């Protein structure tokens, strides 16, 4: 078997692994096989498409780095990443070398962390204990920042067993109105933060925040 045929065989074997990994974690972990022999059309296969890419799309910066440098690390593990729509991701990239020591492919796993955060929050609530705060206020409305706002959204979502972006329109409207009653709209850029968390526009957030119309 010549070098080109041997490389193609390796890539085909890697494709089987990528497809199997993706089907192991449906809707949760995107798995992409990059054919680094053709960086302009690097994406060979993609399972659980969470990033919007398609077969034939070009290589990422990490893939180009591997092509340029055979000494690039074989595995880049658990690095923070982000999908195009802003969702946080946890990624791992595994380089595949041929017999000559040249990178010819890479399998990349992109875990959708936003799907897991409500589950993690629910588990944290289950094991939480009361520290006895007495009458001391834990926070004031004016001091709430994006972190507290995100936590409020995730708590609401966890109670309904879904990530924020997967909530129904009715639940999103109820959540926005609850955030308004709790004073979160007093925070700077609250509408933008809520829109990003729910995957809607700021105009939609303001529309959801409006009180129900008077039936009279």
């Amino acid at each position: 078997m010549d070098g080109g045929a041997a490389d193609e065989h390796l890539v085909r074997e890697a494709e089987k692994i990528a497809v199997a990994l993706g089907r192991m974690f449906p809707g949760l972990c995107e798995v992409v096989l990059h054919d680094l022999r053709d960086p302009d059309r690097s994406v060979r296969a993609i399972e659980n498409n969470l990033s919007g890419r398609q077969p034939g799309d070009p290589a990422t910066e990490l893939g180009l780095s591997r092509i340029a440098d055979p000494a690039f690390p074989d595995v880049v593990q658990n690095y923070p990443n982000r999908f195009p729509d802003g969702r946080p991701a946890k990624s791992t990239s595994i380089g595949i070398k041929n017999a000559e020591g040249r990178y010819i492919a890479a399998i990349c796993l992109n875990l959708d962390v936003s799907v897991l955060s409500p589950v993690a929050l629910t588990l944290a609530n289950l094991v939480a204990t009361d520290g006895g705060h007495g009458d001391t206020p834990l926070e004031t409305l004016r001091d709430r920042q994006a972190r507290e706002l995100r936590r409020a959204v995730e708590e609401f979502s966890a109670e309904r067993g879904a990530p924020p972006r997967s909530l129904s329109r009715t639940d999103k409207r109820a959540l926005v109105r609850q955030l308004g009653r709790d004073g979160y709209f007093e925070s700077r850029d609250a509408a933008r933060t809520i829109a990003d968390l729910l995957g809607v526009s700021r105009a939609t957030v303001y529309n959801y925040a409006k009180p129900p119309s008077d039936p009279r």
Side-chain angles (χ1 to χ4, degrees), residues 133-210:
H133 301 294
D135 295 328
T136 304
L138 298 181
E139 61 180 355
T140 62
L141 296 180
R142 295 184 182 276
D143 293 333
R144 285 174 173 162
Q145 302 296 325
R147 182 172 56 187
E148 286 74 21
L149 178 55
R150 180 181 295 273
R151 182 175 179 84
V153 171
E154 291 181 346
E155 285 177 346
F156 183 96
S157 302
E159 291 172 358
R160 285 152 182 80
R165 288 171 175 261
S166 296
L167 291 172
S168 67
R169 181 180 301 178
T170 299
D171 282 341
K172 288 180 179 180
R173 186 186 300 275
L175 170 58
V176 170
R177 288 178 179 170
Q178 181 63 52
L179 294 173
R181 289 192 295 270
D182 291 343
Y184 282 100
F185 278 92
E186 295 182 15
S187 300
R188 183 180 180 183
D189 293 331
R192 179 187 296 275
T193 301
I194 295 168
D196 289 344
L197 290 171
L198 298 183
V200 299
S201 67
R202 279 186 292 172
T204 299
V205 170
Y206 288 126
N207 183 55
Y208 285 167
K210 293 178 181 177

Side-chain angles (χ1 to χ4, degrees), residues 34 36 38-40 42 58-70 72 103:
H34 288 279
L36 300 182
D38 186 4
D40 291 333
S42 171
T60 63
E61 295 89 340
L62 194 152
L64 295 176
S65 296
R66 277 206 169 98
I67 294 170
D69 182 10
F72 193 88
Y103 282 115

Side-chain angles (χ1 to χ4, degrees), residues 3-159:
D7 289 354
E8 178 62 24
H9 176 74
L10 277 177
V11 175
R12 285 201 305 267
E13 292 299 298
E15 185 171 356
K16 291 192 292 187
I17 295 171
V19 170
L21 285 173
R23 293 178 181 176
M24 184 75 178
F25 305 103
L28 181 63
C29 184
E30 177 185 79
V31 183
V32 185
L33 173 65
H34 288 279
D35 185 343
L36 300 182
R37 299 171 299 173
D38 186 4
D40 291 333
R41 296 177 52 84
S42 171
V43 177
R44 170 105 169 212
I46 184 165
E47 286 289 321
N48 296 331
N49 192 334
L50 301 176
S51 63
R53 289 176 291 176
Q54 300 295 331
D57 280 355
T60 63
E61 295 89 340
L62 194 152
L64 295 176
S65 296
R66 277 206 169 98
I67 294 170
D69 182 10
F72 193 88
D74 291 334
V75 178
V76 182
Q77 188 90 47
N78 296 335
Y79 60 92
N81 210 338
R82 193 165 291 275
F83 292 110
D85 61 6
R87 284 172 296 162
K90 176 181 177 181
S91 298
T92 290
S93 178
I94 306 162
I96 298 171
K97 290 181 176 179
N98 62 9
E100 299 171 356
R102 178 170 54 87
Y103 282 115
I104 61 169
I107 296 176
C108 297
L109 298 87
N110 303 307
L111 182 69
D112 186 352
V113 178
S114 70
V115 174
L116 298 177
S117 57
V119 178
L121 182 60
T122 299
L123 293 175
N125 288 337
L126 284 174
V127 300
T129 57
D130 187 353
H133 301 294
D135 295 328
T136 304
L138 298 181
E139 61 180 355
T140 62
L141 296 180
R142 295 184 182 276
D143 293 333
R144 285 174 173 162
Q145 302 296 325
R147 182 172 56 187
E148 286 74 21
L149 178 55
R150 180 181 295 273
R151 182 175 179 84
V153 171
E154 291 181 346
E155 285 177 346
F156 183 96
S157 302
E159 291 172 358

